[in-house]
Amino acid sequence: MTTELNLKRLSFFLRRQLYLNVNTMWIAIVAVLGVLLIVSALFAYFNPDPDTLLNLRNLYLVVFMLGGYIFTSKVFDEMHAPQKSYMFLTLPVSAAEKLLAAWFVTSPVYVLVFGLIILLLSFFSSLVAGNLEAFPYLFDKSFFVVIRVYLVTQAIFVLGATAFRGNNFLKTLLALIVAALLISAYTGGLGYLLFGQSNYRGGPSDEFKDTAEYIFTKIIPMLFWWLFAPFMLLVSYFKLKERQV
Amino acid sequence: MVELKNIHFRYKKKKPLFENLNLTLQPGFIYGLLGKNGAGKSSLLKHISGLLYPDSGQCSVFGFDASARKPAMLEDIYLIPEEFNLPPISLRSYVKTNGVFYSRFSYNQLQAYLAEFELPEDAKLSTLSYGQKKKFLIAFGLATNARLLIMDEPTNGLDIPSKSQFRKIMVSALDEEKIVVISTHQVRDLENLIDNVVVLENGSIIFNRNIAEISEKLAFEHDVADMPAAEVLYAEEMRGRKAGIVKNAAGHDARVDLELLFNGVIRNAAGINEHFASYKYEY
């Protein structure tokens, strides 16, 4: 067990993390499931039309995203607790294994578990609404797009979980807002500098349009779907490697 | 072997803590790391265990760069900090989930240490007192068979019988491959236990000697009032008498009073070290 990535050690670490946090996870799952069951039962019973079921499905997805981000933000809590961090950091597990385990639990495992919960809740609400035939339509294309968006954007919160000490979820949100504002200000400022004070009144050239279209429809989606999450995870890896007490 | 070479370190926005610190720890010895509050003892232990990185210099543990925190190195280090927070699970579960990471972990040894400390295996960690938790961590750390065992104030919170048990266990657990570093303010707890005394002051190692060497070169006297001043290396007022450290002219092994030695080294490190300078001791 000397290499940076050892599957046996990874499985031991996964087992350790799940075992140490199993009580908290069960409480969170039961609490969320309970609240969603009550809300679903009330809404489906009093508004049994297909739109209500779709709105309920959307509510589940919002809870799924929010819950996933919060869960991810807390995945390295042990490392940030002053009296626990020594144990986490001196445990004979590499940074790559710690990161991989954290990502595995908060990404595929979380999607699978919450996916099952959504399946159950959707079935339950369709049953209460007496509209079982609407059940398959709840899992349309947009449902899977949301799952894919979560799988990508969740990596931002993995980075937030490694970078911030305490209140990781809120700090990550704040960092996202600040980043969005900075990007908006930069692009707005750049646009103003280029076109704001000139007397140019013509539209963009065809060449410019083609380039912009190519960037926005090909390059950016490709970067987002395939490179964004690995990049965030790579930065998180270095954050874990550099982490001191 | 643990080797710290030319370590420079400062906490953010603070004055430098370590400036050109050098220290070598050899296997087969128990090192007592002594120093006043804020001298840098805990920071030094954190450097050795890879929890803090030096600004410059090199810290290597059994040939590994400590700051790389490679699993192969971490398997050989067990750190027992002064303050810790253990999860609310049973001792057995803790051992089951954490012991697997240490390839030389011995369940038999652990059981023996737990029995010695009178700790029940099925107890929940959350129901144990601070002292019992500390004893559990010491037992667990020893059972990992890590070659480097680092303890920060291990006897804090231990009752009197537990301190004796601790000394007994530590002596029995040491072998020629192991390095034990014990940092403490409670020097009396280390008497008859440590092999080397390392004193840290203002981020520098001001004294690093083997206990046999100290015992042969220095004598710790109850009252030095009537002794020639040239023989006295350090003296302090103590309830109507003058306890002190004197040159051990006879060369017979003397009992080392660690508290007096520490006070002497802090106040007159140059004088005491000078006395050792012309002395070569083989160990």
Side-chain angles (χ1 to χ4, degrees):
Chain A
M1 299 217 298
T2 52
T3 55
E4 189 76 356
L5 191 61
N6 180 305
L7 289 180
K8 194 174 168 191
R9 203 164 49 211
L10 178 66
S11 69
F12 286 152
F13 184 66
L14 265 170
R15 195 181 68 174
R16 174 190 186 270
Q17 295 308 92
L18 288 172
Y19 190 85
L20 291 182
N21 299 299
V22 72
N23 286 345
T24 318
M25 285 196 283
W26 270 120
I27 292 168
I29 289 172
V30 171
V32 169
L33 192 64
V35 170
L36 287 179
L37 262 177
I38 294 167
V39 171
S40 305
L42 290 173
F43 271 77
Y45 184 75
F46 291 110
N47 305 290
D49 55 287
D51 275 354
T52 306
L53 291 178
L54 206 61
N55 288 338
L56 273 176
R57 194 277 320 258
N58 292 341
L59 171 74
Y60 303 151
L61 287 175
V62 169
V63 175
F64 159 76
M65 296 280 268
L66 212 59
Y69 293 150
I70 293 171
F71 179 42
T72 306
S73 300
K74 296 183 80 57
V75 77
F76 290 116
D77 268 7
E78 189 184 357
M79 184 173 75
H80 301 300
Q83 294 183 0
K84 291 180 182 172
S85 58
Y86 81 93
M87 183 68 215
F88 184 81
L89 292 171
T90 58
L91 200 69
V93 179
S94 70
E97 287 155 355
K98 283 172 184 163
L99 180 70
L100 200 59
W103 174 82
F104 184 70
V105 172
T106 56
S107 200
V109 171
Y110 175 77
V111 167
L112 213 66
V113 171
F114 213 103
L116 278 174
I117 291 175
I118 293 179
L119 202 73
L120 280 174
L121 286 169
S122 301
F123 181 75
F124 172 74
S125 9
S126 310
L127 209 64
V128 172
N131 197 356
L132 255 182
E133 60 272 22
F135 174 66
Y137 297 102
L138 298 177
F139 299 93
D140 55 6
K141 195 184 166 195
S142 54
F143 174 85
F144 291 101
V145 168
V146 171
I147 301 283
R148 280 177 67 201
V149 168
Y150 171 78
L151 287 172
V152 172
T153 53
Q154 176 263 356
I156 301 171
F157 289 84
V158 175
L159 177 59
T162 58
F164 300 119
R165 298 181 185 211
N167 299 315
N168 302 58
F169 175 65
L170 293 175
K171 283 179 184 168
T172 312
L173 271 188
L174 187 68
L176 278 174
I177 292 166
V178 170
L181 284 175
L182 285 175
I183 293 168
S184 310
Y186 175 76
T187 47
L190 195 68
Y192 179 76
L193 281 174
L194 289 173
F195 307 112
Q197 287 176 323
S198 70
N199 291 322
Y200 181 69
R201 289 287 174 268
S205 67
D206 285 346
E207 194 184 352
F208 178 79
K209 267 194 211 168
D210 289 346
T211 310
E213 195 182 321
Y214 183 73
I215 289 171
F216 282 100
T217 59
K218 301 271 189 243
I219 304 288
I220 291 180
M222 194 195 77
L223 290 177
F224 179 76
W225 292 115
W226 299 105
L227 285 180
F228 185 73
F231 176 72
M232 287 287 144
L233 293 175
L234 185 69
V235 180
S236 307
Y237 168 75
F238 287 117
K239 279 275 171 199
L240 272 180
K241 286 278 281 183
E242 289 162 10
R243 177 64 198 225
Q244 300 177 60
V245 289
Chain B
M1 188 169 78
V2 176
E3 211 169 6
L4 290 98
K5 272 188 197 164
N6 310 320
I7 299 288
H8 288 77
F9 175 76
R10 72 192 299 164
Y11 284 105
K12 273 179 198 165
K13 295 176 189 166
K14 287 192 175 171
K15 63 174 188 162
L17 180 60
F18 300 140
E19 284 182 295
N20 206 32
L21 185 137
N22 291 284
L23 179 66
T24 303
L25 306 176
Q26 299 283 357
F29 293 104
I30 299 179
Y31 289 84
L33 179 62
L34 313 177
K36 291 194 287 191
N37 292 330
K41 298 188 300 293
S42 296
S43 300
L44 180 62
L45 299 184
K46 284 173 186 169
H47 272 84
I48 297 172
S49 47
L51 293 173
L52 277 179
Y53 304 161
D55 298 331
S56 67
Q58 205 184 5
C59 176
S60 74
V61 177
F62 305 120
F64 291 98
D65 173 18
S67 56
R69 288 202 294 256
K70 295 268 181 205
M73 181 199 80
L74 294 173
E75 254 192 66
D76 256 331
I77 295 182
Y78 197 82
L79 168 72
I80 299 165
E82 185 181 5
E83 288 172 347
F84 51 82
N85 190 347
L86 295 176
I89 56 175
S90 70
L91 269 69
R92 205 187 298 273
S93 305
Y94 186 92
V95 173
K96 205 172 151 189
T97 49
N98 290 285
V100 286
F101 296 104
Y102 299 89
S103 56
R104 289 189 299 277
F105 190 88
S106 164
Y107 291 91
N108 293 338
Q109 271 177 285
L110 179 76
Q111 279 174 335
Y113 295 136
L114 291 179
E116 181 76 36
F117 278 136
E118 294 165 19
L119 289 172
E121 259 188 271
D122 49 357
K124 258 198 141 188
L125 284 167
S126 53
T127 62
L128 300 182
S129 69
Y130 171 74
Q132 286 176 309
K133 284 180 191 169
K134 187 153 253 182
K135 287 193 280 187
F136 168 68
L137 271 188
I138 292 168
F140 184 86
L142 288 168
T144 62
N145 281 303
R147 282 189 288 163
L148 173 60
L149 189 62
I150 301 170
M151 302 179 174
D152 199 356
E153 300 289 352
T155 53
N156 261 8
L158 298 195
D159 53 26
I160 295 163
S162 301
K163 283 180 182 180
S164 318
Q165 288 163 344
F166 167 73
R167 274 195 292 267
K168 191 175 144 195
I169 286 177
M170 289 312 299
V171 170
S172 69
L174 186 75
D175 61 41
E176 58 191 21
E177 277 202 331
K178 281 186 185 150
I179 302 172
V180 180
V181 186
I182 302 174
S183 161
T184 189
H185 291 110
Q186 305 191 27
V187 287
R188 298 244 182 252
D189 296 338
L190 297 189
E191 277 176 7
N192 306 321
L193 177 64
I194 57 172
D195 302 305
N196 280 62
V197 179
V198 179
V199 181
L200 191 64
E201 172 74 347
N202 293 326
S204 299
I205 306 287
I206 57 166
F207 187 80
N208 183 5
R209 302 280 169 190
N210 185 275
I211 208 91
E213 190 183 1
I214 297 166
S215 163
E216 200 172 328
K217 279 300 265 184
L218 302 176
F220 298 83
E221 297 295 337
H222 184 73
D223 196 352
V224 295
D226 299 328
M227 289 194 165
E231 292 297 304
V232 179
L233 293 165
Y234 169 73
E236 65 183 29
E237 285 296 333
M238 197 177 274
R239 279 177 254 123
R241 60 186 171 91
K242 247 187 157 180
I245 306 171
V246 295
K247 294 172 183 172
N248 189 355
H252 300 310
D253 286 354
R255 193 187 74 84
V256 177
D257 183 333
L258 279 178
E259 200 171 313
L260 203 54
L261 175 69
F262 175 71
N263 289 338
V265 168
I266 290 291
R267 298 219 167 75
N268 183 24
I272 293 175
N273 277 320
E274 198 185 328
H275 181 60
F276 282 90
S278 58
Y279 184 78
K280 285 258 183 250
Y281 189 85
E282 297 294 328
Y283 59 87

